[in-house]
Amino acid sequence: MSRDRAVRRAVGRVIPAGTGPQGRADGRAAPGAGTADGRVERGGGTADECARDSRAASGACTADAQTGSRGTSASGTSHWPAAAAGDAAATGRARVRAWAELLRVPALFTVPGDALAGAGALCAPPGHRTLLAIGSSLCLYEAGMVLNDWADRAEDAAERPHRPLPSGRVSPTTAFTVACAFTAAGLALAARAGRPALTIAAPLAVTVWSYDLALKHTPAGPFAMAAARGLDLLLGAAATGGRTRPALASAALLATHTCAVTNLSRQETHEGTPTAALAALATTGALTWLLHRPLPPGGPPHHLSRNHLPRNRQSSNRRSPAEEAPGRHQPPGRAGHRPAPSSAPLTSVLTSVLATGYAAATARSSLHASLNPSPPLTQRAVGAGIRATIPLQAALMARSGATATALITAALAPVARRLARRVSIT
């Protein structure tokens, strides 16, 4: 109905009422005397003007109709709030993805195993202080991730413009503020875990910031990153048992793997040489061989004697005369003691399986990168090396007798691999 009225108004402007059969002086045609339907006679080009006016009126009506159809439904309900809600949801998803890329969420699954491996090296079950150490490790790890992108934002603008900071999805000021907040939270959680934990967390935070801001592009870069990973394992030991010496061997193995992967990551964005990939492959082989070597059986090592335990632990760990008798073994699970020989076969088998899984997780991609050291294959090898940290941690736990914790940690590997298909781990 509204369209018909608009057409009649347009025709009324073209053919005013009351004009006679003769054409007007302005050249507009009038309806003929014998034209019953009022059709416009052709003459003087006025029919074209009428057609244009009619089409303009029709277009206006169509635009009004389209506008009305977008704004309201048949029942008169407006669709604009729904469209705005859809845009807000899309913006929220894009923001979440940007932060997931900046934080490298799949790599987070490689962090809890550090503290758990430190606790396992003490042959102590994880407790609430171990959970605090895990929280501290996660915060300091994410501080390093965000600070890494903040420090490399100029380089990423040329080599990786899709990263969150160069693409403008996250501002540099926000990223730096978040890195500071993560660092403060990590130190606060370590302080809650006890003074020994804070003693390790403080140099760990210094190492993370030094690597990102100063040491990354120097020859000391891989060693700084390795030190950070080793300190992270010692953080779990310090928080759980108040000492770190029993965990030094596990920390050294984990740091060696991290050093090799970090050295390989230096040629992620440009054509490199096979040397770094071959070094990573050799490191994997050496660590796998070391993991298959059993630990000394029996009671506590010489550096875990009662003289090295805290005073409040000496009385609790005092054994009865029956336990001092020859042939009797300390029950498994007590802090600072190796598992009983009866569980040695299971521990050995599980350690071998996890060590083999560690080798399989990284050896193939490192071999491909050594044969063709192109950026895509190097990035794939680096990602595999980062994810291989999980079975390495689990193997270290199983080697110390913490079989249940080792299995739980190993279960994180497929989750990290699945998330890495959506969000880049490097």
Side-chain angles (χ1 to χ4, degrees):
M1 184 65 70
S2 60
R3 178 172 179 174
D4 295 337
R5 287 198 299 269
V7 172
R8 284 198 296 270
R9 285 198 300 269
V11 175
R13 289 197 299 269
V14 176
I15 308 174
T19 54
Q22 302 296 327
R24 294 180 52 180
D26 58 2
R28 293 183 181 175
T35 305
D37 56 357
R39 287 194 299 268
V40 180
E41 296 179 353
R42 296 183 182 273
T46 58
D48 296 336
E49 294 180 10
C50 179
R52 283 196 301 270
D53 291 340
S54 299
R55 285 196 300 270
S58 177
C61 294
T62 303
D64 292 340
Q66 291 175 350
T67 303
S69 64
R70 286 196 304 265
T72 59
S73 62
S75 60
T77 304
S78 175
H79 291 311
W80 288 114
D87 293 342
T91 303
R93 287 193 298 268
R95 187 175 303 169
V96 169
R97 180 170 183 83
W99 279 102
E101 293 178 10
L102 182 61
L103 298 176
R104 292 175 175 87
V105 173
L108 278 178
F109 292 91
T110 69
V111 179
D114 290 346
L116 293 175
L122 302 181
C123 297
H128 73 282
R129 295 182 184 273
T130 311
L131 296 179
L132 290 172
I134 292 175
S136 176
S137 298
L138 290 171
C139 290
L140 295 177
Y141 188 86
E142 288 297 16
M145 287 293 183
V146 178
L147 191 64
N148 176 76
D149 275 36
W150 182 86
D152 290 346
R153 61 191 184 279
E155 178 183 345
D156 288 342
E159 298 178 351
R160 290 173 150 186
H162 61 278
R163 293 294 299 166
L165 266 65
S167 62
R169 291 178 290 164
V170 178
S171 67
T173 303
T174 302
F176 186 79
T177 304
V178 169
C180 294
F182 272 129
T183 303
L187 294 175
L189 290 173
R192 290 290 304 273
R195 182 176 297 179
L198 182 60
T199 305
I200 300 297
L204 173 58
V206 172
T207 305
V208 169
W209 280 72
S210 299
Y211 172 81
D212 287 330
L213 299 181
L215 301 177
K216 181 178 181 181
H217 300 290
T218 67
F223 299 99
M225 179 62 74
R229 183 66 83 164
L231 286 172
D232 201 30
L233 188 146
L234 296 179
L235 175 60
T240 303
R243 57 192 188 278
T244 58
R245 189 175 178 183
L248 289 177
S250 297
L253 295 179
L254 186 59
T256 303
H257 168 76
T258 304
C259 184
V261 174
T262 306
N263 185 51
L264 179 60
S265 68
R266 293 186 150 200
Q267 54 188 39
E268 280 185 296
T269 58
H270 58 84
E271 197 76 20
T273 62
T275 305
L278 289 174
L281 189 61
T283 301
T284 301
L287 292 178
T288 304
W289 176 74
L290 289 173
L291 288 172
H292 280 89
R293 295 185 61 185
L295 290 174
H302 66 279
H303 59 268
L304 286 181
S305 63
R306 281 174 38 196
N307 294 332
H308 290 81
L309 295 177
R311 294 183 180 273
N312 59 347
R313 297 287 298 278
Q314 292 182 15
S315 58
S316 62
N317 285 340
R318 186 172 299 163
R319 294 183 293 177
S320 64
E323 292 175 326
E324 298 283 353
R328 298 298 298 270
H329 300 282
Q330 185 69 21
R334 180 173 292 187
H337 294 80
R338 300 295 176 197
S342 59
S343 63
L346 175 61
T347 299
S348 178
V349 171
L350 182 58
T351 303
S352 299
V353 170
L354 292 172
T356 304
Y358 158 69
T362 184
R364 182 178 179 182
S365 57
S366 297
L367 178 61
H368 289 171
S370 65
L371 297 176
N372 180 15
S374 60
L377 291 181
T378 301
Q379 291 176 8
R380 187 177 303 174
V382 172
I386 295 174
R387 293 192 302 272
T389 305
I390 298 176
L392 175 58
Q393 296 163 339
L396 292 173
M397 298 175 203
R399 188 165 173 256
S400 300
T403 55
T405 309
L407 292 174
I408 294 174
T409 303
L412 299 176
V415 181
R417 184 170 57 251
R418 182 173 300 179
L419 284 178
R421 297 173 184 172
R422 297 187 175 185
V423 180
S424 175
I425 201 173
T426 62

